[in-house]
Amino acid sequence: MSLTIVGSMAFDAIETPFAKTDKTIGGSCTYCAYAASQFTREINQVSIVGYDFPKNELDDLNNLGVNTDGVEIVPDKKSFFWSGKYHLDMNTRDTLITDLNVLADFNPVLPESYQRTEYLLLGNLAPAVQKAVIQQLKTRPKLIVLDTMNFWMEVALNDLLEVLGMIDVLVVNDSEARQLTGEYSIVKAAKKILTMGPKQLIIKKGEHGALLFHGEEIFFAPALPLEEVFDPTGAGDAFAGGFMGYLAKTNDLSYENMKTAIIMGSVTASFCVEKLGTERLKTITTHDVAVRAKQFLALTDFVLA
Amino acid sequence: MSLTIVGSMAFDAIETPFAKTDKTIGGSCTYCAYAASQFTREINQVSIVGYDFPKNELDDLNNLGVNTDGVEIVPDKKSFFWSGKYHLDMNTRDTLITDLNVLADFNPVLPESYQRTEYLLLGNLAPAVQKAVIQQLKTRPKLIVLDTMNFWMEVALNDLLEVLGMIDVLVVNDSEARQLTGEYSIVKAAKKILTMGPKQLIIKKGEHGALLFHGEEIFFAPALPLEEVFDPTGAGDAFAGGFMGYLAKTNDLSYENMKTAIIMGSVTASFCVEKLGTERLKTITTHDVAVRAKQFLALTDFVLA
């Protein structure tokens, strides 16, 4: 099934306790697409870049079956640039620089061929922009998944609440779920969010895994304990991309299959952090994914007498 | 199989964002025994209390099959008293008061009937005291599990390293594993600890679950997402007690059964935090445990195509 991904493409400068780069390719859309391409090759990318964005990076995506017709190239502006430094715990980071550049004027226009997409992943953008994308669709997708962040809860809460009524699955981290609801308990926060529009909620907890709330059901996907986390940048996007890619491939929206999809998102996220930027995601194979998915199965497998 | 538990019995004063008590029964040994008694009734308790410790609390334990012959009652001293206040996250707390009282002179003497115990759980005490307990045994238990804390790594590291060479399973939390090894990565820390003596290592991560390291294998037990955590006091001890109680009951030290035992520890810990002190642990039934164990199974259950 066709999957459309909307989000940023960027240059990142990253410093972790174990690695450093002044310039690598990043952006939510980029990570999502590489992760999703492990499962499906019918991907439509919607983003914006400047004159400085390397053509070969778009070629790399095209070669994986990613249609980049929806990636606007602005000839007289620079690409979005983000710079961050991770603390030793790798769970917290300081943003050093955010140069929006082209992203400041991002008004995504869906090419005709994208407007009947069956799966839609709306990356973290202004809620009004996310809404504008939904309004360009000719048919309602089978599944709309939305990522957001605390910033939009502070500056555009009403827009966010409106767009929450138009989607199926919300993806946030634990602190964002708390902020959105004013509830400290994750379970209470989840129950509240499920009254705001989304039918399912995914709460990401970084190195502590992710939770899927689906009606009264709760599924927990652990993160794989890794000997070395090289660079956590993009792990959340790789998670969302893997999740969506697997659903678009299998085209099965049952709770059972969503659980497996969450695991596939955890699998792609676990690869993502092993190298700097998108480096590792670019090289994983179907076999790598299958082997790691089995590791996830073994990680929580137990028997009751 | 017989299970001997060595540790503190105490009065606690606890304040959480949701509850407060000036005086309740606590102590690692108490929580461990209540949790273990869900699975086995052949429990030997080794502890020390003062003249002020309520007789009916010992009766309650006796009624559950806990032998308290090894609980020394000091006629002219007060019981150990601990007071703590939890932060909103429930994962961190400030210790307000630690009155060691009788615990300052705790030199546990194992009654004759305890000296051939098949399972031994050494609660968090000075490593020299833990060693002295092992030395009183007439036969080597099938399994010795040891709990410790960062304090002993600071003031008695050599003693701790010595006792690590005498045990089978070490139980610590993530920050203690890091402190003991100087490794930030939990996986690297675990590998190092498994060269220090223990054959298995359990790393507790509070609300984020627990990991079992067994040779090259890693098992992850999630914590149950709860709507309300009322009081986290004793959760770690309820975990260790449930783990050990299940092993003593089943008498099977295979990796497969240890995984189930970890889940049973997570089950008893999940009940523990639902009410203040030992209140909830005192009232759970075999049926409650079975129902909750199935919830744990459902929580991480997924299928790979």
Side-chain angles (χ1 to χ4, degrees):
Chain A
M1 297 288 126
S2 61
L3 164 62
T4 297
I5 302 171
V6 187
S8 62
M9 298 180 81
F11 288 115
D12 287 348
I14 301 164
E15 189 177 343
T16 81
F18 311 108
K20 189 176 190 306
T21 176
D22 289 335
K23 200 173 191 179
T24 187
I25 298 296
S28 64
C29 215
T30 316
Y31 284 100
C32 283
Y34 277 115
S37 74
Q38 282 302 318
F39 304 102
T40 177
R41 300 268 156 140
E42 275 186 85
I43 301 173
N44 301 320
Q45 189 93 327
V46 182
S47 191
I48 190 166
V49 297
Y51 63 84
D52 52 352
F53 201 82
K55 166 103 181 34
N56 68 305
E57 289 291 336
L58 295 176
D59 294 342
D60 285 353
L61 286 167
N62 296 153
N63 291 339
L64 291 172
V66 181
N67 181 337
T68 55
D69 291 352
V71 178
E72 183 185 350
I73 301 171
V74 182
D76 59 346
K77 281 192 177 164
K78 282 186 161 184
S79 300
F80 174 44
F81 174 72
W82 176 82
S83 165
K85 185 176 173 173
Y86 288 85
H87 301 167
L88 185 60
D89 68 9
M90 287 286 199
N91 263 339
T92 52
R93 67 186 185 191
D94 295 325
T95 288
L96 304 176
I97 303 169
T98 307
D99 286 339
L100 284 179
N101 301 325
V102 292
L103 205 62
D105 311 309
F106 186 31
N107 287 309
V109 176
L110 294 195
E112 173 76 30
S113 65
Y114 291 20
Q115 293 172 7
R116 293 178 191 277
T117 190
E118 284 143 320
Y119 288 82
L120 176 62
L121 175 53
L122 292 164
N124 169 35
L125 293 164
V129 173
Q130 294 174 319
K131 181 183 157 192
V133 171
I134 296 174
Q135 288 174 329
Q136 292 174 51
L137 296 168
K138 291 275 198 307
T139 51
R140 173 61 160 88
K142 293 190 173 183
L143 194 77
I144 303 179
V145 176
L146 183 132
D147 190 8
T148 189
M149 70 184 295
N150 46 6
F151 177 72
W152 305 116
M153 297 171 196
E154 284 151 25
V155 305
L157 183 60
N158 285 342
D159 288 350
L160 178 59
L161 292 176
E162 190 186 345
V163 80
L164 285 184
M166 306 166 81
I167 63 155
D168 301 298
V169 182
L170 175 67
V171 182
V172 286
N173 68 30
D174 40 3
S175 75
E176 289 156 356
R178 287 179 174 131
Q179 182 164 343
L180 184 57
T181 58
E183 291 286 352
Y184 193 84
S185 154
I186 287 296
V187 178
K188 282 189 183 173
K191 284 195 175 172
K192 237 183 203 180
I193 290 171
L194 290 182
T195 68
M196 293 176 171
K199 288 182 282 293
Q200 287 96 24
L201 168 68
I202 296 172
I203 296 184
K204 298 179 291 182
K205 305 201 300 168
E207 63 158 330
H208 300 302
L211 290 159
L212 168 65
F213 293 86
H214 181 110
E216 292 295 307
E217 306 270 12
I218 306 179
F219 174 65
F220 177 77
L224 198 70
L226 291 169
E227 201 151 325
E228 263 180 2
V229 171
F230 206 68
D231 171 19
T233 310
D237 300 311
F239 172 84
F243 170 72
M244 258 324 234
Y246 185 79
L247 287 179
K249 174 195 180 186
T250 51
N251 195 28
D252 170 359
L253 294 175
S254 66
Y255 177 53
E256 278 308 314
N257 198 54
M258 273 211 182
K259 295 194 292 183
T260 309
I262 295 264
I263 293 294
M264 292 306 174
S266 306
V267 165
T268 45
S270 76
F271 283 116
C272 179
V273 303
E274 287 183 342
K275 288 194 179 175
L276 207 64
T278 58
E279 203 179 324
R280 185 73 183 97
L281 279 184
K282 281 187 173 187
T283 61
I284 49 172
T285 65
T286 308
H287 177 71
D288 292 335
V289 168
V291 168
R292 187 150 294 181
K294 280 187 191 157
Q295 281 182 271
F296 273 87
L297 201 58
L299 185 60
T300 56
D301 176 64
F302 70 93
V303 175
L304 285 182
Chain B
M1 298 286 124
S2 61
L3 164 61
T4 297
I5 301 171
V6 187
S8 62
M9 298 180 81
F11 289 116
D12 287 348
I14 301 164
E15 188 176 343
T16 82
F18 311 109
K20 189 175 189 306
T21 176
D22 288 335
K23 199 172 192 180
T24 186
I25 298 297
S28 65
C29 216
T30 316
Y31 284 102
C32 284
Y34 277 116
S37 73
Q38 282 302 319
F39 305 101
T40 176
R41 301 269 155 136
E42 275 186 85
I43 301 173
N44 302 319
Q45 189 94 326
V46 182
S47 192
I48 190 167
V49 296
Y51 63 85
D52 51 354
F53 201 82
K55 167 105 182 32
N56 67 307
E57 290 291 336
L58 296 176
D59 293 342
D60 286 353
L61 287 167
N62 295 155
N63 290 339
L64 292 172
V66 180
N67 181 336
T68 55
D69 290 352
V71 178
E72 185 184 348
I73 302 171
V74 182
D76 60 345
K77 281 191 177 164
K78 283 185 161 185
S79 299
F80 174 43
F81 174 73
W82 175 84
S83 164
K85 183 175 173 173
Y86 288 85
H87 302 168
L88 186 60
D89 69 7
M90 285 287 199
N91 263 339
T92 51
R93 67 185 184 192
D94 295 324
T95 288
L96 305 176
I97 302 169
T98 306
D99 286 339
L100 285 179
N101 300 325
V102 292
L103 205 63
D105 312 311
F106 186 32
N107 287 308
V109 176
L110 293 194
E112 172 76 29
S113 66
Y114 290 21
Q115 293 172 9
R116 294 178 191 279
T117 190
E118 284 143 318
Y119 289 81
L120 175 63
L121 175 54
L122 292 164
N124 170 34
L125 293 164
V129 173
Q130 294 174 317
K131 182 182 157 193
V133 171
I134 296 174
Q135 289 174 328
Q136 291 174 51
L137 297 166
K138 290 276 197 306
T139 52
R140 173 63 162 83
K142 292 188 173 184
L143 194 76
I144 303 179
V145 175
L146 182 133
D147 189 8
T148 189
M149 71 184 293
N150 45 6
F151 177 73
W152 306 116
M153 297 170 196
E154 285 151 25
V155 305
L157 183 60
N158 285 341
D159 287 352
L160 177 60
L161 293 176
E162 191 187 345
V163 79
L164 286 184
M166 306 167 81
I167 63 155
D168 302 298
V169 182
L170 176 66
V171 182
V172 286
N173 68 32
D174 40 3
S175 76
E176 289 157 356
R178 289 180 173 128
Q179 182 165 343
L180 185 57
T181 59
E183 292 287 353
Y184 193 84
S185 154
I186 287 296
V187 177
K188 283 190 182 172
K191 285 196 175 174
K192 239 184 202 178
I193 290 171
L194 291 181
T195 67
M196 293 175 170
K199 288 182 281 293
Q200 287 95 25
L201 168 68
I202 296 171
I203 297 184
K204 296 179 291 182
K205 306 201 298 170
E207 63 158 330
H208 301 301
L211 290 158
L212 168 65
F213 293 86
H214 182 110
E216 292 295 307
E217 308 271 11
I218 306 179
F219 174 66
F220 177 76
L224 198 70
L226 292 170
E227 202 152 324
E228 263 180 1
V229 171
F230 206 69
D231 171 18
T233 310
D237 300 312
F239 172 84
F243 170 72
M244 257 325 232
Y246 185 78
L247 288 179
K249 174 196 181 185
T250 52
N251 196 28
D252 170 0
L253 294 175
S254 66
Y255 177 53
E256 277 308 315
N257 197 54
M258 272 208 184
K259 294 195 293 184
T260 309
I262 295 264
I263 293 294
M264 293 305 175
S266 306
V267 165
T268 44
S270 76
F271 282 116
C272 180
V273 303
E274 288 182 343
K275 289 194 179 175
L276 206 64
T278 57
E279 204 179 323
R280 185 72 182 97
L281 279 184
K282 281 187 173 186
T283 61
I284 49 173
T285 64
T286 308
H287 177 70
D288 293 333
V289 169
V291 168
R292 188 149 295 182
K294 280 185 191 157
Q295 280 181 273
F296 273 86
L297 200 59
L299 186 61
T300 57
D301 176 62
F302 70 94
V303 176
L304 285 181

